[in-house]
């Protein structure tokens, strides 16, 4: 057993929350209760994973064959990422308790919105946030960053009938991608000196003063 087990369960719960919400347009209760329950479960698992990582005080790593055949996903949960994992988990759990009452507004005939989109992108946003914290190489980090950025764009633009929401969503996406390009540049410099795209290689990089 390792804290990564609970981290994987948190990821799976967030994904299940988004997938379950695909039927919410026909059955609103799937989002208000089904997806919210899975989000809450994912939050609890994330808190367990983060707390365990803090208690153990030793990094836990894993390799997943999810990328290209020669480029596996490097994942790592250490005390620092564990702290933020627990913080995100607490927030997600609190949101899952608040969600059923909040979503009642969007099931009213006068305010009816695409509930499936809201649930799907909420689940993907949480999944992306947690994956960013687990990433141990530049490849996984950038995939997770993009998943988090794009899904949150759709959440900001959810009530797109309002011009202010559309503008806010565009500015958010612009800032997220400018930030992503800066991160990618930083990774390129570190990978060039470290000889690899893993964060372990980057930590060992010997940078010149220039």
């Amino acid at each position: 057993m390792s804290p990564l087990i609970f981290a994987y369960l948190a990821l799976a719960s967030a994904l299940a929350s988004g997938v379950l919400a695909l039927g919410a347009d026909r059955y609103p209760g799937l989002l208000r209760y089904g997806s919210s329950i899975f989000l809450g479960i994912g939050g609890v698992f994330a808190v367990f994973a983060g707390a365990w990582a803090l208690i153990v005080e030793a990094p836990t790593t894993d390799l997943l064959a999810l990328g290209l055949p020669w480029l596996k996903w490097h994942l790592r949960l250490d005390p620092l990422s564990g702290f933020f994992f627990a913080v995100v988990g607490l927030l997600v759990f609190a949101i899952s308790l608040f969600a059923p009452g909040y979503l009642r507004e969007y099931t009213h005939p006068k305010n009816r919105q695409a509930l499936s989109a809201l649930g799907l992108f909420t689940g993907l946003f949480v999944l992306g946030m947690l994956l960013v914290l687990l990433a141990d190489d530049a490849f996984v980090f950038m995939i997770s960053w993009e998943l988090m950025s794009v899904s949150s764009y759709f959440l900001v633009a959810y009530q797109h009938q309002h011009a202010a929401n559309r503008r806010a969503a565009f500015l958010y996406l612009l800032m997220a991608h400018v930030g992503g390009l800066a991160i990618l540049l930083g990774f390129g410099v570190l990978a060039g000196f470290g000889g690899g795209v893993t964060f372990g290689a980057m930590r060992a990089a010997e940078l010149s003063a220039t």
Side-chain angles (χ1 to χ4, degrees), residues 188-199:
V189 172
L190 290 171
F193 282 93
V197 297
T198 65
F199 290 168

Side-chain angles (χ1 to χ4, degrees), residues 20-35 107 112 115-116:
L20 188 62
L22 291 175
D25 290 331
R26 182 179 292 270
Y27 306 105
L30 282 177
L31 179 60
R32 290 182 59 195
Y33 301 106
S35 291
T107 60
R112 196 65 182 265
L115 296 177
S116 58

